[in-house]
Coordinates of all heavy atoms in Angstrom, one line a residue:
C37 N 9.3 -10.5 0.0 CA 8.0 -11.2 0.0 C 8.3 -12.7 0.0 O 9.3 -13.2 -0.5 CB 7.1 -10.9 -1.2 SG 5.5 -11.6 -1.0
L39 N 6.1 -14.9 -1.3 CA 5.5 -15.5 -2.5 C 6.2 -15.0 -3.8 O 7.0 -14.0 -3.7 CB 4.0 -15.1 -2.6 CG 3.1 -15.6 -1.5 CD1 1.7 -15.1 -1.7 CD2 3.2 -17.1 -1.3
K40 N 5.9 -15.6 -4.9 CA 6.6 -15.2 -6.1 C 5.5 -15.0 -7.2 O 5.5 -15.7 -8.2 CB 7.6 -16.2 -6.5 CG 8.9 -16.2 -5.7 CD 10.0 -17.0 -6.3 CE 11.3 -16.8 -5.7 NZ 11.4 -16.6 -4.3
C41 N 4.6 -14.1 -7.0 CA 3.5 -13.9 -8.0 C 4.2 -13.4 -9.3 O 5.0 -12.5 -9.3 CB 2.5 -12.9 -7.6 SG 1.9 -13.2 -5.9
Y43 N 3.2 -11.7 -11.7 CA 2.9 -10.3 -12.1 C 3.5 -9.3 -11.2 O 3.2 -8.1 -11.3 CB 1.4 -10.2 -12.3 CG 0.7 -10.8 -11.1 CD1 0.5 -10.2 -9.9 CD2 0.1 -12.1 -11.3 CE1 -0.1 -10.8 -8.8 CE2 -0.5 -12.7 -10.2 CZ -0.6 -12.0 -9.0 OH -1.3 -12.6 -7.9
C44 N 4.2 -9.7 -10.1 CA 4.6 -8.8 -9.1 C 5.7 -7.8 -9.6 O 6.7 -8.2 -10.1 CB 5.2 -9.5 -7.9 SG 5.7 -8.4 -6.6
N46 N 7.7 -6.0 -8.0 CA 9.0 -6.1 -7.2 C 9.9 -7.2 -7.7 O 11.1 -7.1 -7.6 CB 8.7 -6.5 -5.7 CG 8.0 -5.4 -5.0 OD1 8.2 -4.2 -5.4 ND2 7.2 -5.7 -4.0
L47 N 9.3 -8.3 -8.3 CA 10.1 -9.4 -8.7 C 10.6 -9.3 -10.2 O 11.6 -9.8 -10.5 CB 9.3 -10.7 -8.7 CG 8.9 -11.1 -7.3 CD1 7.8 -12.2 -7.4 CD2 10.1 -11.6 -6.5
G87 N 5.9 -5.5 -0.7 CA 6.2 -6.7 -0.1 C 5.2 -7.2 0.9 O 4.1 -6.9 0.9
N113 N -0.3 -11.0 2.6 CA -0.7 -12.2 1.9 C -1.0 -13.3 2.9 O -1.3 -14.5 2.5 CB 0.4 -12.7 0.9 CG 1.8 -12.9 1.6 OD1 1.8 -13.3 2.8 ND2 2.9 -12.8 0.9
H144 N -3.8 -14.8 -4.0 CA -3.1 -14.9 -5.2 C -3.2 -16.4 -5.6 O -2.5 -17.2 -5.1 CB -1.6 -14.5 -5.1 CG -1.4 -13.1 -4.6 ND1 -1.5 -12.0 -5.4 CD2 -1.2 -12.6 -3.4 CE1 -1.3 -10.9 -4.7 NE2 -1.1 -11.3 -3.5
Ligands
SF4_24 S1 2.1 -11.3 -2.5 FE1 2.3 -9.2 -3.4 S2 4.4 -8.5 -3.0 FE2 4.3 -10.8 -2.7 S3 5.0 -11.6 -4.7 FE3 2.7 -11.5 -4.7 S4 2.2 -9.5 -5.6 FE4 4.4 -9.5 -5.0

Side-chain angles (χ1 to χ4, degrees):
C37 189
L39 296 183
K40 287 191 165 41
C41 305
Y43 43 80
C44 179
N46 291 333
L47 294 167
N113 59 30
H144 303 276

